[in-house]
Amino acid sequence: QQQVKQSPQSLIVQKGGISIINCAYENTAFDYFPWYQQFPGKGPALLIAIRPDVSEKKEGRFTISFNKSAKQFSLHIMDSQPGDSATYFCAAILSGGSYIPTFGRGTSLIVHP
Amino acid sequence: NAGVTQTPKFRILKIGQSMTLQCTQDMNHNYMYWYRQDPGMGLKLIYYSVGAGITDKGEVPNGYNVSRSTTEDFPLRLELAAPSQTSVYFCASRNPGYYEQYFGPGTRLTVT
């Protein structure tokens, strides 16, 4: 059972465009939603995260939008740059347990110059 | 701080061989995790540990074993390698009370 569904699987954007990656979750008990960024040959690294008591969080060009009623959240990358080309994973965490993330399957983003 | 280090970076095994993937962290994190990453499948948890001497199974533990004798080290053992274990393996660690996991650079394993 896939508890966090991520789409699209791959995304190609022109430099300066907006990249949007979507995730949907099923368990309403999840209370922390991070996004990880992974460059080729490297391990994932935390990019930005949000708690369900806010609808949006922005850090530089990266924004998470959160819709609690729809059980969906998305990552928006404004003014996308070739250096943003990477794989992005959304995740959902239940803090009452052992803080183990349930990861989406990942989105491969390519930003063309 | 080196963070989370993993060795080796690459390894090719023959079917039936055994090996240990090494993971070490220098951040004094109690929690450590082993994941495997397959194309288009995200990260699957193999085993995790909440401290020295304590380990527990994750989502895909079959074919693997772990031990945690120190806070720093969390090796992953493959006893009888199978082609289905061809994957990229990541070790991660976390500080109690914090959500962020810190990942190592990964080990790419091929079983032929």
Side-chain angles (χ1 to χ4, degrees):
Chain A
Q1 182 184 3
Q2 187 183 357
Q3 294 194 48
V4 177
K5 295 184 178 180
Q6 183 172 347
S7 63
Q9 187 171 349
S10 61
L11 181 62
I12 299 174
V13 174
Q14 291 297 121
K15 178 182 176 181
I18 302 173
S19 303
I20 302 174
I21 304 171
N22 301 299
C23 284
Y25 62 96
E26 298 169 5
N27 188 347
T28 56
F30 287 133
D31 57 0
Y32 190 76
F33 299 88
W35 284 89
Y36 280 81
Q37 180 187 53
Q38 182 182 27
F39 292 107
K42 306 292 185 182
L46 181 66
L47 178 64
I48 187 173
I50 197 168
R51 293 182 185 273
D53 53 349
V54 298
S55 60
E56 184 176 283
K57 183 174 182 179
K58 184 176 181 179
E59 291 184 0
R61 296 184 293 107
F62 300 89
T63 300
I64 300 178
S65 297
F66 190 86
N67 186 330
K68 189 173 182 178
S69 61
K71 296 189 286 186
Q72 295 176 347
F73 59 110
S74 59
L75 176 68
H76 295 237
I77 306 175
M78 310 301 288
D79 186 27
S80 298
Q81 300 296 312
D84 297 330
S85 298
T87 299
Y88 293 82
F89 293 97
C90 64
I93 298 177
L94 181 62
S95 64
S98 53
Y99 288 61
I100 296 174
T102 299
F103 286 96
R105 292 187 174 183
T107 296
S108 175
L109 171 66
I110 297 174
V111 181
H112 283 310
Chain B
N1 284 352
V4 180
T5 58
Q6 293 183 239
T7 57
K9 292 188 186 305
F10 304 94
R11 183 73 185 268
I12 298 175
L13 278 182
K14 294 189 183 300
I15 295 171
Q17 286 185 323
S18 301
M19 77 163 295
T20 299
L21 282 67
Q22 302 291 345
C23 174
T24 299
Q25 53 92 10
D26 63 359
M27 298 174 283
N28 203 33
H29 287 172
N30 286 359
Y31 291 78
M32 296 188 74
Y33 308 82
W34 274 107
Y35 295 91
R36 60 177 289 171
Q37 182 179 24
D38 301 298
M41 296 303 293
L43 293 154
K44 301 292 186 184
L45 183 66
I46 304 171
Y47 271 95
Y48 67 100
S49 170
V50 301
I54 307 170
T55 62
D56 207 349
K57 296 178 180 179
E59 183 180 357
V60 289
N62 291 344
Y64 308 94
N65 279 301
V66 294
S67 60
R68 184 92 181 272
S69 58
T70 68
T71 299
E72 295 79 20
D73 300 307
F74 190 40
L76 178 71
R77 178 81 177 163
L78 283 71
E79 290 295 347
L80 291 170
S84 61
Q85 294 177 305
T86 294
S87 188
V88 181
Y89 291 85
F90 290 99
C91 178
S93 70
R94 179 178 69 82
N95 218 355
Y98 293 85
Y99 290 94
E100 181 178 2
Q101 293 195 4
Y102 294 82
F103 285 82
T107 294
R108 182 174 294 275
L109 175 67
T110 301
V111 182
T112 61

